[in-house]
Amino acid sequence: MSSSNPVNHLHDIILTPTAMTTAALFTGAIVVLIYLLYQCSLPKPIPGIPHNQTSLDSPLGDFPKMLQYMHEMGNSLCFCFSSHVQKHNSPITQILIRPFTRPMVLLADFRFLHRVAGPAIDVNASRLIELWKVKSGMAAGSPFSANVDVYQAALDAVFGFAFGKDFPHSATRPKLELLKGLDAESVERIRRKGEKGDDEPIEFSGAETDEVITATLDLAIMLGTGPSLLSPAIDIPEDLRRETSQLAKKEGKGRAWDPEDIGVFKPERWLVSAPKGHREQSGFEVEFDAAAGPQLSFSLGTRGYFGKRLAYLELRILITLIVWNFELLPCPKELSSYNSTLGITNKPNQCYVRLRKVDHTL
Ligand SMILES: *[C@@H]1O[C@H](CO)[C@@H](O)[C@H](O)[C@H]1NC(C)=O
Ligand SMILES: *[C@@H]1O[C@H](CO)[C@@H](O)[C@H](O)[C@H]1NC(C)=O
Ligand SMILES: CC(=O)N[C@H]1CO[C@H](CO)[C@@H](O)[C@@H]1O
């Protein structure tokens, strides 16, 4: 080895007894500090809420396991959450996810949705209606873009539901305040019709969007599309499919949409002829069948989108409030294409509304 032995260098450094004590104390203090920090960083589960016991010993808690699980199971965080809930078989569980922070609580009892989420969505959806009342008033019969407003209202609802009533960020509120605060001259400028008159969409300049909102905006409802959903299924010989799949088809579970009109917007395709018993009870010839044909908006089975019920509840409230408050008049043909762009989700290229306020005083 080399001639410069480190032991020789040590002799050059003269350590007085006080310096040695100070050094020892200093090292000791650092060790204690690191230990305390380490203890502090360990996950602190909320007492009484089930969690994975094995995750208590590492500052990263459940995180490494979650990554591994997601890697093995195809990267779905939702899938990891539902396995967590299923393992503990409890409507409320917690995930220990970062050092120095409180655990994340998972609520998986859907019956609470109507009581808790319903009112939160309702308040936020009402704000969209208020915004559209102002906008339709200013648009005076012209169409305007609905896309961003709907996405943002949906996001507001989810935030309001997830973080409670003190959550300060809202995408809809600043837009509403901005429009309400406009002076007559600005309103006149917005109203001014272009060469196409009433068919020219009105542009509303948006308020500055909250950063938190901007960061989350791309998360919207996952819309399934592709063969068997919006275009005829790819023809695969029956004997090439797995036996279980063939069996399911024979049992009547593999129902397909009629290829003739598969691309048409036709909600009636979910209405099937009601069995006799149901018919007598409800008085309706047909009934809603969610499994009338393939539908992958929220994926399926244990991989199903965890927020599906929340999204449905939200959708129902939004649509009800919209048709309750407005008449949806036809938009010009050039603004009515069903073309869409596939990003994280499948978004319509054009999404315009032409609204007439419904007068409820009649
Ligand atoms: C907790 O452990 C179970 C299996 O023991 C696993 O399925 C689940 O994904 C784990 N939870 C997390 C958040 O890693
Ligand atoms: C919609 O897409 C089709 C095919 O990509 C295209 O031919 C058509 O012009 C588009 N329509 C509109 C209104 O953008
Ligand atoms: C973002 C936003 O405006 N959220 C609101 C949704 O509704 C609840 C009321 O239930 C409000 O507290 C939130 O602020």
Side-chain angles (χ1 to χ4, degrees), residues 46-355:
I46 302 169
I49 301 184
H51 54 271
N52 282 4
Q53 206 63 32
T54 50
S55 307
L56 291 185
D57 303 329
S58 146
L60 290 178
D62 284 319
F63 198 61
K65 281 258 173 60
M66 279 169 70
L67 281 187
Q68 186 196 345
Y69 199 82
M70 281 159 61
H71 181 71
E72 283 166 14
M73 296 301 194
N75 276 333
S76 169
L77 194 60
C78 305
F79 196 32
C80 177
F81 286 171
S82 36
S83 90
H84 189 77
V85 170
Q86 273 160 15
K87 182 208 160 185
H88 294 291
N89 193 23
S90 160
I92 179 166
T93 53
Q94 55 185 326
I95 290 183
L96 315 157
I97 207 164
R98 275 177 301 166
F100 304 111
T101 52
R102 285 188 284 181
M104 190 167 117
V105 174
L106 286 184
L107 259 180
D109 179 28
F110 296 121
R111 263 174 296 172
F112 93 110
L113 263 184
H114 287 263
R115 245 177 336 121
V116 179
I121 294 171
D122 187 51
V123 168
N124 295 292
S126 303
R127 201 169 283 140
L128 173 74
I129 300 298
E130 215 183 320
L131 178 72
W132 278 8
K133 279 186 178 163
V134 174
K135 281 193 172 181
S136 63
M138 290 182 181
S142 295
F144 59 88
S145 173
N147 224 347
V148 176
D149 290 350
V150 170
Y151 278 129
Q152 294 188 343
L155 192 67
D156 280 353
V158 171
F159 277 161
F161 157 67
F163 301 113
K165 66 177 176 46
D166 295 326
F167 189 66
H169 307 282
S170 164
T172 310
R173 203 186 311 128
K175 290 190 291 187
L176 184 58
E177 281 162 7
L178 182 92
L179 284 185
K180 279 184 164 173
L182 288 181
D183 55 28
E185 198 184 325
S186 313
V187 174
E188 205 43 54
R189 210 172 316 129
I190 289 178
R191 258 194 195 145
R192 201 164 299 148
K193 310 272 174 191
E195 54 197 44
K196 287 187 199 143
D198 275 354
D199 280 353
E200 184 98 17
I202 296 276
E203 298 274 349
F204 293 95
S205 54
E208 202 67 38
T209 309
D210 192 296
E211 259 171 66
V212 176
I213 304 291
T214 315
T216 340
L217 252 186
D218 276 335
L219 295 169
I221 297 177
M222 281 182 269
L223 275 181
T225 166
S228 2
L229 298 164
L230 286 179
S231 56
I234 296 169
D235 203 14
I236 299 174
E238 204 52 28
D239 58 347
L240 287 186
R241 292 184 188 270
R242 274 185 307 153
E243 249 172 70
T244 44
S245 170
Q246 292 183 34
L247 196 69
K249 168 120 195 204
K250 280 188 203 126
E251 287 169 353
K253 287 184 195 148
R255 289 185 266 177
W257 299 124
D258 180 359
E260 286 286 301
D261 62 358
I262 195 163
V264 180
F265 178 76
K266 191 179 155 198
E268 311 89 272
R269 64 174 92 244
W270 274 275
L271 296 179
V272 299
S273 163
K276 195 158 175 291
H278 294 197
R279 220 175 289 181
E280 279 160 7
Q281 217 174 23
S282 70
F284 289 111
E285 293 286 306
V286 289
E287 66 181 16
F288 174 73
D289 180 1
Q295 210 248 98
L296 274 181
S297 294
F298 296 100
S299 192
L300 293 175
T302 30
R303 274 167 183 264
Y305 175 45
F306 205 66
K308 173 175 160 172
R309 284 179 190 249
L310 181 61
Y312 269 132
L313 183 63
E314 196 174 317
L315 210 59
R316 281 196 204 113
I317 293 180
L318 263 180
I319 290 178
T320 309
L321 282 175
I322 290 172
V323 299
W324 184 259
N325 285 284
F326 302 103
E327 222 177 302
L328 292 149
L329 304 175
C331 285
K333 228 183 156 89
E334 319 84 77
L335 299 181
S336 304
S337 109
Y338 282 112
N339 287 5
S340 59
T341 310
L342 191 61
I344 296 178
T345 62
N346 199 32
K347 280 189 179 175
N349 290 348
Q350 295 184 320
C351 174
Y352 287 88
V353 287
R354 194 204 287 266
L355 303 176

